[in-house]
Amino acid sequence: MKNSLKKHVSLVALAGSLAFAAAAQDSDTTTPASDELRAQTITVTATRRAESVQDIPLNIAAVGGSQIEEQGFDELSDVLAYVPGINVVDRGGRQGNPIIVRGLNADGLGSGDGNNDGGGTVATYVGEIPLYVDLKLNDLERVEVLLGPQGTLYGAGTLGGAIRYIPAKPKFDGDTLDVRAEAYQYSEADSLSYKGGFTFNKTILSNLAIRGSLDLDDDSGFIDYPYVVNEIGVTDADPDFSDPADVKANVHRISDANSEKTTSGRLAARWEPMSWLDGTATYYYQKAKIGGRQGSSRRSTVPAGDYELAKRVEEPNEITNQLLALELTADLGFAELTSATGYSRFDDNGQRDQTDLLISLEYSYEAFPTFTAYTHEKTRANTFNEELRLVSQTEGPLNWIVGAFYNDQDVTSSSAEYTPGYAAYVGFDRPDDLEYYSQFYSKLKESALYGEIGYDITDKWSVTVGGRYYKYDLESFSDVDFPLFDAFPDYLQTVGISAMEDSLKSDFAAGSPNGTERTSQSDNGTLFKFNTSYKVSDDLLTYFTVSEGYRIGNSNGIGVCPAYDPADNQQGACALVPGQQYGPNAGDISTRDETQYLPDKTKNYELGFKSTLNDGRITLNAAIYYIEWTDPQLSSATINASLPIRVNADGAESKGIEINGNWLVNDAFSVRGSYSHSEASLTALAPGLVGTISPPGFGSVLLDGQDGDRLPGSPEDQFSIFGTYVMGLANGNELTFNGGYAWQGDVLSRTGGRGDGLTLDSYGVANASAVYDAGKWQATLYVNNLFDEYYETGVVGTSLFNQVLTDDDGGPVYERTYYTYVGAPRTTGVRFTYAFE
């Protein structure tokens, strides 16, 4: 691995040598052509000042609105496939997709339903408001991606980077209306998918304007659920799969089960009452109704194809994101003052198949011949945050930024688990078949002071130092009950999420109710940043950065296990605390707290350059980095039931390189590309990190992660290339041909590949399109995944779960935990836009 990294560092050194040589030769050459090309470079505000990407001594990538349209990007994962050093684990719309930067990974490839933080390794901003949402990329000026900790520039703390969605603001220079429509079909789908929307801008007064957009997406999906039971608890989920009649009598197929219908919109009002004051109020709304998971059971115990998932019940999920934001900017002369206030709400309401977890607990659920279980889950998160920032504007060698940040978040969730028919089968009096119920509530308060001071020692040499003071307090409460076996307490009723939220807030404010478990954590500290840059010439900038990142801890949201009782066959889907016994042996004592995980921290060292070559026709940027990761939050599993959790390991590291560039070959043809290599691994023994099982049966086993083990979730190598050719037509219109290819290497699903973890194969996806541009209107024909590549993006479970149990009638019961997430097959579509002026 060390030799591999040396080889890649040598590649950066070679690229740097070429850049230095070319810059030295052309340093005094500036032509009108190069001025025009430089003007095309995207201007960003990532450093809180409007600057060209090439003039910022940080590792930053920006994708402009025209490029988003040109490449047909719909979601963040589309964008990040062409950004070096960062990747998204595509698990479909239902799960939430972890964002992994420079190998820093917490969530793994398959854990977590309804994930609403992207894994927490990056901070995501919508405008000036920190908010994680997989936003549809409509009416955006650009998307900015910063790699490396950014806690001295941004209010929200960042462990490894920041992503900013920059929406187009209302404009004062006229009225516009843009409409768009799209139709496409997956090669594995039974029907077409559609999209449609519009964006308008209305100037009311010379200093008052509104802007809005509305988009409706109706995605057919492409995953079939071939074995959904005809009636839960009545028909057999495991018929004789070789007998079509028996299959038809018990189960049925749902085609294109992972459908997604999304409504997204934005309405913004901008007012400039005085020349020095500018304010924008915006309401964002996005609601997705998702039919099921984007997975494949081709590796499981039941017969299934590449795009078939063997779930026994439908798994719909409804995810709603809302944000109300007020952004004010005041030009004070010596500095610009910005206030960003946001209130957001996240709602998640879904159902999932819970059968596999329950039969793997080995409490004889599988003995019921028609056993099928499902869970109904709800989550709501309310978040208020405020950020004040002052940025210097005076001329001279000194510049500075100072800011304050406050965040207040409540999270409420519940999970109700039903086992239809099972209570009557075993003789319990439980007509509603409610087998398990949990509710969870947490309260987070977070604040920070941050800032940077920069000084130009000479015209070419600059130094910046930054700091951050942070503090947070987190309290969480959880109730767990097993009403199938115990009396059902009055306060544990399956009520609506709003009523439950109000009840939890009032009850927990008064103290912990009987049976409620409470966890809490708090922390405070400081972070540091140092950056120095040297402008070798007008076309070559070098920089070196040392920066620290930080991420808060949180609850795993799992109820605490009851005290161990050898005479009681207790439920095991729970979390242990230190010193708690969990088995019959004296040594079966937990040494870790599975209810929560604590903060982690990174220190990032980075050396890089940015260059402009060939009279401005080529840009070439590269960086090498090394990251020390202290107390890393990593994916693991509980001792009881192997539920997915996060735990803190002792240490890890990541090192690698990133290269990206653009080349205007001629006035008609341009190419851009990127390459990254990352090596992320443990630096110390991590006891009990990897959760697995030991067949026959499903007894939980925790394996140690070893010093040097490669971390899961991200590839070591990634590259992408995208080319555009523009052909002028005799009628004055243009025909543009686009082609892109993004490739990533193999990915581990378990740390060090332990516990029978699956190593996902490397894959590459090619896209192509042709755009006819008539000025006011455009028509695009495109094909995504041109070569119809079948590729797996994530894993749930391992092949060790591929076991067959037996029910009371002697029939087979197939355990189906093991499946993979898959990417979309070939997709062919047409897109049309029209601009009214």
Side-chain angles (χ1 to χ4, degrees):
M1 186 174 288
K2 291 182 179 179
N3 291 334
S4 173
L5 185 60
K6 286 180 180 178
K7 178 182 69 176
H8 291 90
V9 170
S10 298
L11 181 61
V12 176
L14 175 61
S17 299
L18 293 173
F20 271 83
Q25 182 180 358
D26 298 337
S27 60
D28 296 325
T29 303
T30 303
T31 68
S34 63
D35 287 340
E36 181 180 351
L37 291 168
R38 286 192 179 93
Q40 297 175 5
T41 303
I42 296 177
T43 298
V44 298
T45 55
T47 59
R48 303 310 193 180
R49 296 178 176 87
E51 299 176 275
S52 163
V53 169
Q54 291 301 103
D55 293 332
I56 298 175
L58 295 173
N59 198 328
I60 178 173
V63 180
S66 59
Q67 185 177 338
I68 290 172
E69 294 182 8
E70 181 181 87
Q71 294 193 234
F73 292 151
D74 294 317
E75 298 175 341
L76 186 61
S77 59
D78 300 329
V79 174
L80 297 187
Y82 289 85
V83 176
I86 190 169
N87 68 295
V88 174
V89 179
D90 183 5
R91 306 190 300 191
R94 191 187 187 283
Q95 308 309 117
N97 299 320
I99 303 170
I100 303 174
V101 58
R102 292 179 167 175
L104 305 179
N105 172 46
D107 262 349
L109 297 174
S111 63
D113 264 7
N115 180 330
N116 193 47
D117 65 357
T121 55
V122 299
T124 55
Y125 273 74
V126 178
E128 296 289 346
I129 309 300
L131 173 70
Y132 175 75
V133 56
D134 197 354
L135 193 69
K136 298 295 183 182
L137 305 183
N138 299 314
D139 195 32
L140 293 182
E141 287 189 2
R142 62 189 178 276
V143 175
E144 300 177 2
V145 181
L146 293 88
L147 301 185
Q150 305 297 330
T152 60
L153 277 174
Y154 290 85
T158 65
L159 186 76
I163 296 172
R164 304 179 70 215
Y165 300 98
I166 310 297
K169 281 192 172 184
K171 295 177 173 55
F172 300 136
D173 57 359
D175 300 341
T176 61
L177 175 63
D178 299 328
V179 297
R180 47 193 171 267
E182 185 174 341
Y184 59 96
Q185 184 160 20
Y186 299 109
S187 61
E188 298 291 330
D190 292 345
S191 59
L192 282 171
S193 298
Y194 304 94
K195 295 181 181 180
F198 65 86
T199 299
F200 74 90
N201 190 95
K202 176 67 177 176
T203 300
I204 299 175
L205 301 171
S206 61
N207 63 348
L208 177 63
I210 59 174
R211 187 181 187 93
S213 65
L214 179 66
D215 285 86
L216 304 176
D217 295 6
D218 188 348
D219 188 287
S220 68
F222 52 88
I223 297 294
D224 292 351
Y225 278 28
Y227 305 127
V228 174
V229 294
N230 294 338
E231 186 175 353
I232 300 176
V234 176
T235 58
D236 190 357
D238 298 294
D240 181 354
F241 292 108
S242 65
D243 182 352
D246 195 29
V247 170
K248 184 177 181 180
N250 288 281
V251 299
H252 62 280
R253 174 182 293 269
I254 297 179
S255 297
D256 301 336
N258 66 318
S259 61
E260 182 173 346
K261 295 183 178 180
T262 303
T263 302
S264 58
R266 176 168 63 98
L267 182 62
R270 182 183 176 193
W271 185 34
E272 195 176 274
M274 291 164 278
S275 61
W276 55 271
L277 182 62
D278 190 347
T280 303
T282 311
Y283 173 70
Y284 301 84
Y285 177 85
Q286 183 166 295
K287 184 173 185 177
K289 295 182 177 180
I290 300 139
R293 301 177 192 273
Q294 191 171 301
S296 169
S297 291
R298 64 188 288 263
R299 297 178 181 272
S300 73
T301 55
V302 297
D306 288 349
Y307 297 98
E308 293 182 333
L309 187 61
K311 294 296 181 178
R312 305 164 186 82
V313 298
E314 295 184 70
E315 298 187 300
N317 199 30
E318 186 174 280
I319 301 172
T320 306
N321 282 280
Q322 299 178 79
L323 170 64
L324 182 62
L326 177 62
E327 302 173 12
L328 300 172
T329 302
D331 185 350
L332 305 181
F334 73 99
E336 181 180 81
L337 176 65
T338 299
S339 169
T341 307
Y343 176 78
S344 63
R345 193 167 99 175
F346 165 82
D347 286 279
D348 186 14
N349 186 353
Q351 173 179 293
R352 62 186 172 95
D353 186 350
Q354 191 72 331
T355 311
D356 292 304
L357 173 65
L358 293 186
I359 63 177
S360 68
L361 292 177
E362 301 181 277
Y363 294 138
S364 299
Y365 291 105
E366 71 280 359
F368 181 28
T370 57
F371 181 74
T372 296
Y374 67 93
T375 297
H376 186 197
E377 297 167 321
K378 299 179 182 180
T379 299
R380 171 170 293 173
N382 297 296
T383 306
F384 169 81
N385 46 57
E386 169 67 29
E387 185 169 352
L388 290 172
R389 183 176 64 253
L390 199 61
V391 181
S392 66
Q393 296 188 126
T394 55
E395 297 291 333
L398 184 68
N399 61 82
W400 48 267
I401 297 172
V402 63
F405 173 74
Y406 175 76
N407 182 60
D408 189 331
Q409 183 182 68
D410 295 335
V411 178
T412 308
S413 64
S414 70
S415 178
E417 205 168 273
Y418 296 91
T419 55
Y422 179 73
Y425 182 76
V426 295
F428 291 116
D429 183 17
R430 191 72 209 187
D432 61 2
D433 287 297
L434 181 63
E435 183 267 348
Y436 169 92
Y437 186 79
S438 68
Q439 56 185 10
F440 171 83
Y441 174 73
S442 70
K443 177 75 172 179
L444 169 67
K445 291 188 177 181
E446 181 184 10
S447 58
L449 298 173
Y450 64 93
E452 293 186 356
I453 299 176
Y455 188 77
D456 298 331
I457 298 175
T458 70
D459 291 342
K460 296 179 179 293
W461 183 20
S462 300
V463 173
T464 299
V465 294
R468 177 184 181 89
Y469 172 79
Y470 60 86
K471 178 182 180 181
Y472 80 89
D473 293 283
L474 173 69
E475 285 191 294
S476 59
F477 304 86
S478 61
D479 279 323
V480 176
D481 191 70
F482 301 96
L484 200 64
F485 308 101
D486 304 319
F488 193 45
D490 291 339
Y491 66 86
L492 288 175
Q493 297 293 332
T494 53
V495 298
I497 189 76
S498 296
M500 182 181 68
E501 181 181 32
D502 293 339
S503 174
L504 286 168
K505 285 182 178 180
S506 60
D507 286 349
F508 293 142
S512 298
N514 182 35
T516 300
E517 299 291 343
R518 173 180 177 176
T519 60
S520 63
Q521 58 177 266
S522 61
D523 195 20
N524 64 82
T526 59
L527 303 176
F528 171 76
K529 174 183 176 180
F530 171 79
N531 172 271
T532 183
S533 62
Y534 188 81
K535 204 164 189 178
V536 178
S537 69
D538 290 342
D539 297 315
L540 178 61
L541 174 70
T542 62
Y543 66 90
F544 173 71
T545 302
V546 180
S547 55
E548 293 179 317
Y550 181 83
R551 173 174 53 182
I552 69 171
N554 212 325
S555 169
N556 279 314
I558 300 174
V560 177
C561 293
Y564 179 74
D565 181 357
D568 184 12
N569 186 19
Q570 297 167 307
Q571 288 274 23
C574 55
L576 294 165
V577 296
Q580 186 172 7
Q581 185 174 355
Y582 57 86
N585 300 315
D588 294 341
I589 303 296
S590 177
T591 59
R592 63 179 184 174
D593 186 353
E594 298 180 336
T595 65
Q596 63 180 336
Y597 51 94
L598 301 176
D600 56 353
K601 193 173 184 178
T602 55
K603 181 175 285 188
N604 184 87
Y605 303 85
E606 183 173 335
L607 177 66
F609 70 83
K610 298 187 173 185
S611 65
T612 307
L613 312 173
N614 193 22
D615 198 24
R617 290 184 174 271
I618 297 175
T619 62
L620 178 63
N621 304 332
I624 59 174
Y625 65 86
Y626 174 74
I627 301 172
E628 297 176 352
W629 194 2
T630 304
D631 300 322
Q633 299 173 10
L634 299 176
S635 57
S636 185
T638 59
I639 292 176
N640 290 324
S642 294
L643 300 176
I645 59 173
R646 294 188 196 178
V647 299
N648 296 96
D650 285 342
E653 67 178 12
S654 180
K655 50 193 175 185
I657 66 164
E658 294 149 357
I659 304 173
N660 67 84
N662 297 269
W663 180 21
L664 184 62
V665 181
N666 54 47
D667 291 341
F669 182 43
S670 62
V671 179
R672 53 181 175 265
S674 67
Y675 170 78
S676 64
H677 176 81
S678 177
E679 298 177 5
S681 60
L682 293 175
T683 57
L685 178 70
L689 177 65
V690 183
T692 184
I693 62 174
S694 180
F698 302 92
S700 296
V701 177
L702 297 179
L703 302 177
D704 295 342
Q706 303 294 324
D707 183 2
D709 276 357
R710 177 183 165 189
L711 294 178
S714 62
E716 288 193 334
D717 293 283
Q718 294 174 271
F719 78 82
S720 67
I721 187 168
F722 183 83
T724 297
Y725 180 78
V726 181
M727 180 170 48
L729 303 177
N731 61 1
N733 297 334
E734 290 182 343
L735 183 61
T736 302
F737 298 95
N738 300 308
Y741 183 76
W743 180 92
Q744 68 172 47
D746 61 27
V747 176
L748 298 186
S749 64
R750 301 286 180 98
T751 300
R754 301 182 185 280
D756 198 50
L758 175 68
T759 298
L760 300 176
D761 291 339
S762 59
Y763 64 85
V765 176
N767 300 328
S769 67
V771 183
Y772 183 84
D773 189 346
K776 286 189 175 182
W777 62 271
Q778 287 185 339
T780 302
L781 172 66
Y782 66 88
V783 182
N784 293 336
N785 195 354
L786 180 64
F787 303 114
D788 205 16
E789 175 91 353
Y790 175 80
Y791 59 100
E792 297 169 309
T793 62
V795 187
V796 177
T798 73
S799 61
L800 297 176
F801 282 94
N802 283 345
Q803 301 181 50
V804 182
L805 311 176
T806 304
D807 62 31
D808 280 351
D809 291 343
V813 177
Y814 296 96
E815 223 283 350
R816 312 178 194 181
T817 292
Y818 187 38
Y819 65 92
T820 58
Y821 294 106
V822 296
R826 180 189 293 123
T827 310
T828 305
V830 292
R831 185 182 304 115
F832 179 81
T833 63
Y834 191 91
F836 297 90
E837 296 180 358

